[in-house]
């Protein structure tokens, strides 16, 4: 592949363009918003002009409900030899594409499992897809050359290709992405009318749960609308569990011993199921989830402090597997939780304390 076109220069489209441009591909940019195109081009994502000839691959970075119309328009113009998209829903767009009588043999659905809470070209990054799954959903009519070009694009973006059927993909993302987004939004909505005295107590746990609730509602209305049935099925099961949990909590607060025991069993059951489900979520690089040990360190809120901490951890020869930062309310400091191999934890604590760090354990 030598040339590509990216239609839609938001977060994902511009990130694709940046990644391909960085690998030597000539990328032509298009968006209904001229300002977005100019911004993406100024960031080095590609050229703000029409290609002089048919490009090898066009990437349709538009919402799911607009994929079919965009493909029809681009094919009528002869924009590219092959086409893919980055929509988070795959079955309905394919049905729409077939209804518009597009050339399905030169189209393959795609969905990179990567993103950010921010939107627009300024939020784009060339490394957004590094090591992330990128689902491809070929139809029965997709030709081999189109599949190969999509696989080459995924490789150039340094993502990991995963081939699935469109319906299987939609049910999977309903479980791992779409339903969790709504659950996050529902939890964040509890804070809409909460007292300031309550919100000031918020720590890292609630930030983790509500982080994705800050995304653009307009985009998510389109995404959820295109996958509504699959998401509703997931949330129906969640609602059943939630109702049982509410009942168990009421019993846990009862004066009757039998009801309290029933409540304990109910809450214990959901927590144990949560443990099992959490353990099934893959860890680093898609490997089975590993057990890490926490090393909490108080870090001052001054320039260079985090870099100094990471440098001291590196000198100690310890790899940081994961981390989180919990800012202390009203104090110019934060608690950095370093997740490390359990075998290295004690030695790291000793070394960090020797260098003057306040380790909270």
């Amino acid at each position: 592949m030598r040339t590509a076109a990216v239609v839609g220069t938001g977060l994902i489209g511009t990130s694709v363009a940046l990644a391909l441009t960085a690998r030597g591909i000539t990328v032509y940019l298009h968006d209904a918003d001229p300002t977005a195109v100019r911004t993406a081009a100024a960031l080095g994502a590609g050229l703000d002009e029409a290609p002089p000839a048919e490009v090898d691959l066009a990437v349709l970075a538009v919402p799911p409900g607009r994929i079919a119309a965009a493909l029809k328009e681009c094919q009528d113009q002869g924009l590219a030899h092959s086409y893919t998209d980055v929509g988070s829903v795959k079955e309905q767009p394919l049905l729409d594409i077939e209804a518009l009588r597009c050339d399905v043999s030169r189209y393959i659905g795609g969905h990179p499992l990567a993103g950010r809470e921010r939107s627009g070209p300024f939020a784009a990054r060339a490394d957004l897809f590094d090591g992330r799954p990128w689902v491809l959903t070929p139809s029965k009519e997709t030709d081999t050359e189109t599949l190969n070009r999509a696989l080459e694009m995924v490789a150039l973006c340094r993502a990991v290709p995963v081939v699935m059927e469109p319906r299987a993909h939609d049910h999977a993302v309903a479980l791992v992405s779409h339903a969790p987004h709504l659950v996050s939004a529902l939890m964040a909505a509890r804070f809409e009318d909460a007292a300031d005295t309550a919100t000031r107590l918020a720590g890292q746990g609630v930030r983790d749960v509500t982080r994705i609730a800050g995304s653009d509602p307009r985009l998510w209305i389109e995404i959820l609308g295109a996958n509504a049935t699959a998401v509703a099925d997931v949330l129906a099961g969640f609602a059943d569990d939630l109702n049982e949990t509410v009942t168990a909590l009421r019993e846990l607060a009862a004066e009757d011993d039998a009801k309290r025991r029933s409540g304990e069993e109910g809450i214990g059951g959901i927590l144990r199921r949560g443990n099992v489900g959490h353990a099934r979520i893959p860890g680093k690089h898609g490997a089975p989830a590993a057990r890490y040990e926490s090393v909490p360190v108080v870090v001052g809120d001054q320039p260079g402090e985090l870099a100094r901490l990471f440098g001291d951890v590196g000198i100690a020869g310890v790899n940081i597997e994961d981390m989180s930062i919990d800012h202390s309310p009203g104090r110019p400091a934060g608690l950095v939780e370093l997740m490390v191999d359990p075998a290295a934890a004690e030695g790291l604590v000793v070394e960090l304390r020797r260098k003057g760090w306040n380790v909270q354990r």
Side-chain angles (χ1 to χ4, degrees):
M1 184 164 65
R2 292 188 176 89
T3 58
V6 172
V7 179
T9 51
L11 165 65
I12 300 298
T14 304
S15 294
V16 172
L18 286 169
L20 294 179
T21 299
R23 309 297 184 269
I25 306 299
T26 301
V27 179
Y28 298 90
L29 306 172
H30 175 76
D31 195 293
D33 180 359
T35 301
V37 174
R38 288 195 294 268
T39 301
L43 293 170
L47 303 173
D48 177 13
E49 60 186 63
E54 181 184 80
V55 299
D56 296 324
L57 179 70
V59 182
L60 308 177
V62 298
R66 303 179 199 171
I67 289 172
L71 178 62
K72 176 67 173 172
E73 181 180 349
C74 290
Q75 287 191 337
D76 287 347
Q77 295 172 353
L79 175 64
H81 179 277
S82 299
Y83 298 84
T84 187
D85 68 84
V86 295
S88 61
V89 180
K90 300 271 65 87
E91 185 175 31
Q92 188 58 52
L94 179 59
L95 294 175
D96 295 340
I97 286 167
E98 291 171 340
L100 288 179
R101 300 184 181 278
C102 297
D103 184 354
V104 184
S105 68
R106 296 201 288 159
Y107 163 78
I108 181 170
H111 178 205
L113 275 295
R116 304 181 70 186
E117 294 78 51
R118 298 166 55 205
S119 59
F122 280 119
R125 293 181 358 208
D127 64 351
L128 185 66
F129 312 108
D130 284 15
R132 302 296 301 166
W134 193 310
V135 178
L136 295 174
T137 56
S139 68
K140 294 178 181 178
E141 289 79 17
T142 301
D143 64 33
T144 302
E145 188 171 5
T146 294
L147 171 61
N148 287 338
R149 290 188 179 187
L151 287 168
E152 184 178 0
M153 176 202 65
V154 172
L156 290 168
C157 291
R158 295 184 177 175
V160 180
V162 180
V163 178
M164 300 179 71
E165 294 182 350
R167 178 170 294 184
H169 163 274
D170 289 356
H171 282 278
V173 295
L175 177 63
V176 304
S177 176
H178 299 165
H181 189 94
L182 280 175
V183 172
S184 176
L186 288 167
M187 189 63 242
R190 301 306 94 203
F191 294 95
E192 184 178 15
D193 300 315
D196 290 344
T197 52
T199 58
R200 281 199 293 267
L201 299 178
Q204 192 60 41
V206 76
R207 292 191 190 99
D208 289 343
V209 171
T210 59
R211 177 180 58 83
I212 55 176
S215 301
D216 184 356
R218 294 169 299 178
L219 173 62
W220 274 94
I221 288 171
E222 292 201 49
I223 291 171
L224 294 168
N227 202 27
T229 300
V231 177
D233 290 342
V234 175
L235 290 182
F238 184 85
D240 291 340
D241 282 346
L242 191 59
N243 286 331
E244 291 180 11
T245 302
V246 170
T247 300
L249 287 169
R250 301 291 187 203
E251 291 176 339
L252 202 57
E255 295 183 0
D256 182 79
D257 289 343
K259 284 189 175 180
R260 283 202 302 272
R261 285 194 296 272
S262 175
E264 289 175 0
E265 291 175 2
I267 296 300
I270 196 68
L271 293 174
R272 284 190 291 273
R273 287 174 57 201
N275 290 159
V276 173
H278 181 266
R280 294 199 62 198
I281 299 173
K284 286 176 62 177
H285 314 304
R291 186 180 72 84
Y292 301 129
E293 192 158 339
S294 169
V295 177
V297 184
V298 176
V299 176
D301 192 12
Q302 297 96 28
E305 283 295 275
L306 266 180
R308 187 167 69 87
L309 173 62
F310 294 159
D312 287 344
V313 173
I315 291 171
V318 176
N319 186 49
I320 299 173
E321 306 291 346
D322 202 352
M323 65 162 287
S324 65
I325 303 176
D326 190 2
H327 295 281
S328 303
R331 290 183 57 196
L335 189 67
V336 178
E337 189 173 16
L338 304 175
M339 306 304 293
V340 302
D341 187 317
E346 285 303 322
L348 178 61
V349 170
V350 171
E351 184 63 19
L352 290 179
R353 283 177 174 162
R354 189 180 68 81
K355 290 183 175 292
W357 291 102
N358 182 0
V359 182
Q360 298 287 293
R361 54 173 281 172

